[in-house]
Amino acid sequence: MGQTWWPISISTMVDSAGVLAQPFMQRALLGGLLTGGLGGLLGSFAVLRQLSFFSDALGHSALLGVSIGILLGINPTLVLIPFAVLFALLVNQLVERSKLPADALLNIVYSSSLAFAVVALSLVETYRGGIQQLLFGDILGIGWLDLGVIALLLLGAVLYLVLSMRAQVLLTLNSDFAGAFGVRANWHRIAFIVLLAVVVAVSIKAVGVLLISAFVVIPACAGRLLSRRFPVYVLSSALLGGGCALLGLFASGLTNLPSGPCVVIVQFSGFMLALLFKAIF
């Protein structure tokens, strides 16, 4: 009788307030804000360019990069970024040169790489306990160095997209049309893919392999429903990504549920509200 079915009691809220005051939780909140905003920012371009499945393939294949680092005895974080960039460039070339449909080819690539990664990790006895963190993320374990890398990446992404906004808009509308206006379409396409790969690699620690695609796709889709002008769409996607990440982390702290899935649930709720708003207005 002393317990209640409601998951958030007064004592839980008091304890959660104490947890929110802890440095590790403050780092997690800042990391969620930066990661969510970064994912929404790049997702706004990726969705319009039909690269959302590409980001999903990058996320799944990142586990293979982690497993390679573990088998070689190297810090997986040091292996993950160069692996993700190399993988993205190779897959881009494979998609361009192959006559197969892009979605089918990406499905083959990410499912095969995920299978190899799981087999490799199963051979490493000492790492079996950390597979769940790789799959679903552990944003509570994010450090100041991670925050610095994410912040620099966000700053670099903003500068690149702002300085090349005209080219980005033309490429989003039509790559052939952009080339007619003197835009180096191939160069900007590769630059964006590399940037997306680095973002996915850096965000893996926070949100995990299985949920990284949601950070890129859901806020961008919600922002698309709420805005018609391109600059507003990009800004709203980034704000939705960061805001939903903060709300999800607060919900995780109050309910003692996994942080990554909580953020994605909040993002999905925001998307449904945007869909409802679009239907009414």
Side-chain angles (χ1 to χ4, degrees):
M1 296 294 293
Q3 295 182 348
T4 178
W5 62 272
W6 185 250
I8 305 176
S9 62
I10 298 298
S11 60
T12 302
M13 294 181 66
V14 172
D15 294 339
S16 299
V19 171
L20 292 176
Q22 298 298 320
F24 76 90
M25 193 61 188
Q26 294 172 359
R27 291 195 299 269
L29 292 174
L30 182 57
L33 178 63
L34 295 176
T35 305
L38 188 56
L41 176 65
L42 292 187
S44 61
F45 293 91
V47 167
L48 292 183
R49 296 180 186 178
Q50 299 181 349
L51 290 174
S52 56
F53 198 66
F54 187 83
S55 65
D56 191 32
L58 284 174
H60 283 75
S61 64
L63 188 60
L64 179 58
V66 172
S67 63
I68 291 175
I70 295 171
L71 290 175
L72 295 177
I74 305 174
N75 187 342
T77 305
L78 300 178
V79 178
L80 193 53
I81 293 179
F83 175 84
V85 172
L86 180 61
F87 182 88
L89 293 175
L90 291 176
V91 171
N92 180 60
Q93 289 296 315
L94 188 61
V95 170
E96 289 184 354
R97 297 177 182 274
S98 174
K99 296 182 180 180
L100 294 172
D103 57 344
L105 187 60
L106 288 173
N107 191 292
I108 293 173
V109 169
Y110 90 71
S111 58
S112 301
S113 61
L114 183 61
F116 279 113
V118 172
V119 170
L121 288 176
S122 66
L123 300 176
V124 186
E125 297 288 339
T126 58
Y127 207 78
R128 286 184 176 176
I131 293 180
Q132 184 175 357
Q133 293 182 350
L134 290 175
L135 296 179
F136 301 105
D138 182 22
I139 199 169
L140 296 180
I142 197 169
W144 289 113
L145 179 60
D146 300 313
L147 289 176
V149 172
I150 298 173
L152 289 175
L153 186 57
L154 177 59
L155 179 61
V158 170
L159 288 176
Y160 166 68
L161 293 175
V162 169
L163 294 176
S164 63
M165 181 58 68
R166 176 178 173 272
Q168 300 301 329
V169 173
L170 291 173
L171 284 172
T172 302
L173 293 174
N174 190 297
S175 58
D176 296 331
F177 183 73
F181 279 83
V183 175
R184 300 171 62 185
N186 189 54
W187 187 92
H188 283 290
R189 185 184 301 108
I190 293 177
F192 182 81
I193 288 176
V194 169
L195 182 60
L196 183 61
V198 175
V199 169
V200 169
V202 170
S203 304
I204 288 294
K205 184 174 183 179
V207 298
V209 170
L210 298 183
L211 302 177
I212 184 62
S213 180
F215 266 62
V216 176
V217 176
I218 297 180
C221 290
R224 186 70 181 90
L225 292 172
L226 296 176
S227 54
R228 296 181 180 179
R229 298 179 56 194
F230 190 81
V232 178
Y233 159 60
V234 174
L235 180 60
S236 61
S237 299
L239 292 177
L240 284 169
C244 288
L246 284 180
L247 291 177
L249 287 172
F250 277 122
S252 174
L254 291 175
T255 59
N256 198 28
L257 293 174
S259 56
C262 282
V263 172
V264 175
I265 290 174
V266 172
Q267 289 179 335
F268 176 73
S269 301
F271 170 75
M272 294 303 295
L273 289 175
L275 195 63
L276 180 62
F277 180 84
K278 179 71 173 180
I280 295 176
F281 299 99

